[in-house]
Amino acid sequence: MIQSLLIANRGEIACRIIRTARAMGVRTVAVYSDADAKALHVRQADEAVHIGPSPARESYLVGDKIIAAAKQTGAEAIHPGYGFLSENADFAQAVIDAGLVWVGPAPDSIRAMGLKDAAKARMIAAGVPVTPGYLGEDQSPERLQAEADAIGYPVLIKAVAGGGGKGMRRVESAADFADALLSCQREAASSFGDDRVLIEKYILSPRHIEVQVFGDAHGNVVHLFERDCSLQRRHQKVIEEAPAPGMDEATREAICAAAVRAAKAVDYVGAGTIEFIADASDGLRADRIWFMEMNTRLQVEHPVTEEITGVDLVEWQLRVASGEVLPKRQDELSIDGWAIEARLYAEDPKIGFLPSTGPLTHVMLPDHQVRVDTGIHEGGAVTPFYDPMIAKLIATGNDRPAAIDRLRKACETTAVWPVKTNAAFLARCLANEQFLAGTMDTGLLAASAEMLIPPNDVPDAVLQAGAMAITTRSLGVTPHQIGDTLIGGDLAAATPWTGAFGFRLNAVPQRVIHLLADGHLESVQIDNPWGQLDAWVELADDMILSGVNDGRVFAISEARAAGTATGAAADGAILSPMPGRIIAVEVAAGASVAKGEKLVTLEAMKMEHSLVAPFDGVVAELNAETGGQVSEGALLVRIERAEEE
Ligand code: ADP
Ligand code: ADP
Ligand code: MG
């Protein structure tokens, strides 16, 4: 068994790997960039080596520095995590050539599956059903167009070197093909340094089904059943679960067997995922599920598989890399219960899911009932340099409804400030009827966006909780002492942690009937003339945070809490949420815009983000120019509200 391990990654996956390594008695070495000097993975590892400036290209993607760090610390093996160098065959080879153990498949296996077209050709040869389409060498626009016409629209153009949901264009008709091809090739060249594409039939009612496979160096390959990752946004997974709803035994056996065949065809060793696309218009049927690609590494969503199988996949990775035989045979593996994961991102669903960077002053992640895999800590920060994932929340249950219910509650009680998160969006996704019925497809989130984006209104309970908090503070008492303090109204029965407290809001008497200590946030239940409302409140030094357990967090000023409630987006100032480059300006000064209309598109964190109008109005100020660099907080556009009728 290897005794020491360097983790060539950061964030939650580095922390996840450290957890298992530590439990196995393996010494851990972290690497970090400037931005990550105080990051959680650095604190958790036994040792840490600085490998360069913040941009990944100068640190986490520099193989030589990572190998040098391993040599310098005496680490025997390197685990690449996911992203970064995890699917880089040349790096895997360099690790091996340096006399170190590579925790992953052989470089040749990575290469075989690295390009989507070559991988599909290989799978066809292995008898695995693949998504119908064109994989040809001939990349002339005429030939590609002719192939698309022959496949029949809609088609999907994909960069052969693509990944992370980038480099894909859905094309509806022959007339749109040429433009879509050009833009896809451009994106492919700039993101992957390779503009070659393949064309696939766009599968209607698509569901993303993938199978976890595992191989060892002794020729054994098993599968650990399937995951369903159909809740996606822009081809990127948002919520993942295992097993897949509506999967019958025969279909499961067929696709899991196909996945094992696929892995064996490339002599696969270690953890891998075979991704399939299913046409679910008539349920999940074995003859309508096709191979899409293989990810030759540990997957972001691996925890749901761990939860239903009881297997620690990182432990298996370390054992297999050390030359051991797979700890279990196929007939020793089974599915127990249901598991579901949500990716909590630092992003703002209200402004096109733009990543939200800044200090993590307040972080409340659910701490019981769910597994939380995270790489951040309160007092840390989300920087613009890396993927803005804050945590993965993983819930389990005896059945699907129980697991979903638990995860929804976990998302609802998540509170992070001032960085914005998608917690409320996730909670809404988990309450979506189609999703609950298990009849979703990959288009669901886009089609239901209107309903899933959290509303802007400030709930009464939040204002009232804020008013209470302000009252508390002005009395100089802590919320815990409120039970002993009666300002007015009726006194309700008091038990430990339960207080009774009354105050006036706009001359209306309010009565607080419960005040519960819940971590460092206080849950308040308020009885008022309009009924009972729930809210939590936190007294921070310079502000009051409150929420109503729907995943939203509000910062309340005294004026706001005192009853001057206006919409949360009352202010029409559109600020740049992060440093970036303006790539499109969609409006002119003085123009009328409708709520939700695109104003400016910004490129930051390798992604394009559109800033939209928060309400109907007129562009009163415009400080954005195509091509211009903008700093965080720069005022780009100011919208003046349209006169109310
Ligand atoms: P998964 O199915 O595991 O989400 P992806 O290919 O979408 O697979 O990417 C996995 C993770 O790797 C992403 O969530 C992201 O954090 C990271 N990642 C993907 N592409 C890149 C990249 N080009 N640079 C850095 N990290 C990346
Ligand atoms: P990436 O390497 O970026 O993960 P994939 O080939 O795995 O690329 O595709 C990403 C997502 O795009 C899939 O999960 C699925 O939602 C969608 N997709 C891919 N191919 C098709 C297809 N032929 N028809 C419909 N949707 C597809
Ligand atoms: Mg994929």
Side-chain angles (χ1 to χ4, degrees):
M1 187 66 205
I2 50 177
Q3 296 298 307
S4 55
L5 176 71
L6 180 141
I7 297 122
N9 214 300
R10 60 177 304 283
E12 69 87 16
I13 194 61
C15 296
R16 161 73 192 88
I17 295 162
I18 290 170
R19 178 160 64 74
T20 289
R22 168 140 318 144
M24 295 172 73
V26 175
R27 187 171 70 91
T28 54
V29 179
V31 291
Y32 65 96
S33 67
D34 287 348
D36 280 338
K38 291 180 182 155
L40 199 60
H41 73 284
V42 173
R43 299 182 185 192
Q44 288 183 349
D46 295 315
E47 226 176 306
V49 181
H50 177 246
I51 50 165
S54 303
R57 247 172 297 113
E58 299 167 47
S59 48
Y60 296 107
L61 289 171
V62 185
D64 292 348
K65 289 191 187 177
I66 289 167
I67 291 170
K71 289 281 183 200
Q72 169 199 332
T73 55
E76 287 168 77
I78 294 186
H79 192 311
Y82 56 69
F84 295 134
L85 294 168
S86 61
E87 294 182 276
N88 185 318
D90 294 339
F91 176 64
Q93 190 61 58
V95 169
I96 295 164
D97 291 346
L100 301 165
V101 174
W102 166 247
V103 183
D108 278 346
S109 308
I110 300 178
R111 257 179 220 116
M113 292 298 195
L115 294 176
K116 290 184 203 286
D117 55 347
K120 284 179 72 176
R122 191 90 177 236
M123 291 302 105
I124 293 169
V128 175
V130 308
T131 323
Y134 171 71
L135 307 172
E137 296 273 287
D138 186 349
Q139 291 278 316
S140 68
E142 300 73 29
R143 177 69 188 274
L144 291 169
Q145 169 99 47
E147 293 289 345
D149 293 349
I151 294 166
Y153 296 89
V155 298
L156 196 61
I157 311 175
K158 278 189 193 178
V160 301
K166 283 194 93 172
M168 269 188 271
R169 293 289 184 284
R170 177 178 165 160
V171 189
E172 297 301 328
S173 68
D176 301 334
F177 186 84
D179 282 350
L181 177 63
L182 272 178
S183 107
C184 187
Q185 287 170 327
R186 244 197 329 263
E187 183 170 310
S190 82
S191 303
F192 312 111
D194 182 342
D195 70 356
R196 286 174 302 156
V197 299
L198 58 82
I199 300 169
E200 279 180 6
K201 172 105 197 125
Y202 189 88
I203 306 299
L204 296 173
S205 306
R207 261 171 75 183
H208 176 113
I209 306 282
E210 59 183 35
V211 177
Q212 176 72 53
V213 293
F214 226 108
D216 65 21
H218 308 276
N220 304 301
V221 178
V222 298
H223 68 80
L224 291 97
F225 311 99
E226 81 281 3
R227 297 184 282 256
D228 187 318
C229 315
S230 298
L231 287 197
Q232 303 188 344
R233 225 179 53 71
R234 295 194 186 175
H235 305 300
Q236 293 197 61
K237 300 159 188 165
V238 178
I239 289 172
E240 306 108 334
E241 63 186 306
M247 176 74 80
D248 63 54
E249 253 332 298
T251 308
R252 169 172 298 132
E253 235 161 72
I255 76 150
C256 290
V260 169
R261 270 205 308 284
K264 283 190 169 158
V266 292
D267 301 318
Y268 201 77
V269 173
T273 296
I274 312 287
E275 294 192 334
F276 295 92
I277 192 89
D279 168 355
S281 54
D282 189 21
L284 291 176
R285 295 176 27 175
D287 59 350
R288 294 197 188 166
I289 302 182
W290 300 278
F291 172 90
M292 207 162 40
E293 67 159 343
M294 179 172 195
N295 292 326
T296 51
R297 55 172 161 85
L298 191 66
Q299 200 97 337
V300 176
E301 57 275 19
H302 76 276
V304 293
T305 297
E306 298 189 316
E307 296 299 326
I308 61 159
T309 58
V311 168
D312 181 330
L313 292 171
V314 175
E315 179 187 336
W316 278 32
Q317 285 188 299
L318 298 181
R319 291 196 181 286
V320 163
S322 305
E324 293 185 19
V325 173
L326 283 177
K328 285 193 174 173
R329 293 192 316 264
Q330 191 66 62
D331 60 7
E332 293 172 314
L333 290 161
S334 60
I335 298 177
D336 182 18
W338 212 279
I340 179 161
E341 168 184 290
R343 299 189 188 190
L344 181 70
Y345 275 104
E347 64 185 15
D348 189 351
K350 291 201 182 96
I351 46 172
F353 293 87
L354 200 74
S356 176
T357 56
L360 289 160
T361 313
H362 297 271
V363 176
M364 186 180 72
L365 300 178
D367 56 1
H368 55 278
Q369 299 267 14
V370 290
R371 167 174 165 184
V372 179
D373 282 16
T374 188
I376 58 96
H377 58 92
E378 196 169 71
V382 178
T383 73
F385 301 107
Y386 319 108
D387 186 281
M389 190 158 73
I390 291 181
K392 304 185 306 205
L393 309 180
I394 305 114
T396 57
N398 288 332
D399 55 19
R400 186 168 188 261
I404 293 177
D405 195 54
R406 215 167 254 171
L407 185 60
R408 185 175 46 77
K409 290 198 177 102
C411 293
E412 286 171 349
T413 53
T414 291
V416 176
W417 187 269
V419 160
K420 307 257 192 322
T421 78
N422 62 343
F425 173 79
L426 292 171
R428 286 170 161 254
C429 293
L430 292 163
N432 178 278
E433 275 176 27
Q434 235 175 303
F435 176 65
L436 292 177
T439 55
M440 65 286 182
D441 65 35
T442 58
L444 177 65
L445 296 191
S448 321
E450 192 80 354
M451 285 160 58
L452 297 173
I453 308 285
N456 274 326
D457 69 295
V458 183
D460 282 350
V462 162
L463 295 175
Q464 290 162 359
M468 189 216 65
I470 288 167
T471 312
T472 314
R473 184 146 65 180
S474 62
L475 286 175
V477 296
T478 70
H480 293 194
Q481 294 170 309
I482 289 174
D484 308 322
T485 313
L486 184 71
I487 308 173
D490 300 325
L491 182 68
T495 57
W497 295 120
T498 306
F501 169 63
F503 63 95
R504 284 169 189 279
L505 177 66
N506 290 345
V508 181
Q510 314 279 317
R511 187 166 62 100
V512 179
I513 58 169
H514 290 299
L515 190 76
L516 304 169
D518 177 12
H520 59 293
L521 293 173
E522 313 300 325
S523 295
V524 195
Q525 230 181 49
I526 296 171
D527 213 12
N528 65 26
W530 310 285
Q532 219 175 62
L533 299 162
D534 290 299
W536 55 260
V537 63
E538 172 164 335
L539 292 167
D541 288 346
D542 52 346
M543 70 173 75
I544 290 153
L545 299 182
S546 182
V548 286
N549 289 347
D550 67 356
R552 289 185 293 163
V553 189
F554 299 87
I556 311 169
S557 67
E558 304 213 3
R560 171 64 66 72
T564 55
T566 49
D571 183 1
I574 313 294
L575 309 181
S576 171
M578 62 182 56
R581 195 170 63 89
I582 305 281
I583 56 170
V585 179
E586 317 278 356
V587 292
S592 293
V593 290
K595 180 180 171 187
E597 196 173 321
K598 255 192 217 174
L599 304 171
V600 170
T601 302
L602 190 72
E603 186 187 62
M605 288 182 162
K606 298 192 198 123
M607 303 260 294
E608 292 180 10
H609 309 285
S610 292
L611 302 175
V612 303
F615 40 67
D616 295 353
V618 169
V619 178
E621 204 175 328
L622 180 67
N623 303 318
E625 219 177 300
T626 304
Q629 289 287 344
V630 290
S631 54
E632 185 179 339
L635 177 71
L636 302 180
V637 187
R638 195 167 52 78
I639 306 294
E640 228 151 61
R641 199 180 273 279
E643 290 302 318
E644 303 277 337
E645 297 303 313

